[in-house]
Amino acid sequence: MPTSPPNKRPAYLQKKPDRKPTNNQGFYNSPLWRKTRKQHIYSNPLCEVHLSLDQYIDCTFGGHVDHITPTEQGGALLEPENLMTLCPSCHNRKSGIETHEKCLVKVTETSEGLIPSMGEKERLIERLAKYLCG
């Protein structure tokens, strides 16, 4: 007697495995980071890449406060010089480039960690803005 095929859910409906936490996930959940992020967003609420092109994208809700020098490479965790406000698309673009090129700026060492050298933040913003212009 023939049997019917097993009931199997389509791949797009199957439960995906839980995402593995990053090595510094505890830091990003800490009250110290939340306070620093809140202060940075309050003082810099617009996407810095779009702002360089005279476009105003409010990042107060849903925006990212990104470390210019990645924390995995020794970037200072709480230094304002190492933070920038980005909209989700600019953040994804920067993160994508970083996966291939690692750190995108020249750095200076401080007691807190690495921060971008003078003028490097502006150079990075110009580089990311080129992707918006085409």
Side-chain angles (χ1 to χ4, degrees), residues 24-43:
N24 51 5
Q25 195 68 42
F27 166 72
Y28 288 113
N29 290 328
S30 72
L32 186 57
W33 169 250
R34 289 175 190 240
K35 180 180 178 185
T36 302
R37 181 190 183 284
K38 187 177 184 178
Q39 288 173 342
H40 186 80
I41 284 278
Y42 182 76
S43 60

Side-chain angles (χ1 to χ4, degrees), residues 48-120:
E48 296 184 39
V49 176
H50 283 88
L51 188 60
S52 72
L53 300 171
D54 293 326
Q55 299 172 355
Y56 304 101
I57 307 265
D58 185 13
C59 295
T60 307
F61 301 102
H64 296 271
V65 174
D66 187 64
H67 288 92
I68 300 169
T69 305
T71 58
E72 294 85 23
Q73 296 167 22
L77 295 174
L78 302 170
E79 286 295 313
E81 295 87 15
N82 194 35
L83 301 175
M84 67 189 303
T85 305
L86 297 173
C87 66
S89 70
C90 289
H91 180 262
N92 290 341
R93 185 175 300 112
K94 179 183 176 285
S95 297
I97 296 170
E98 276 177 348
T99 58
H100 299 288
E101 297 182 26
K102 304 299 177 204
C103 187
L104 302 177
V105 294
K106 294 176 184 158
V107 295
T108 303
E109 187 152 0
T110 65
S111 60
E112 300 295 321
L114 301 175
I115 61 170
S117 298
M118 188 69 75
E120 287 294 305

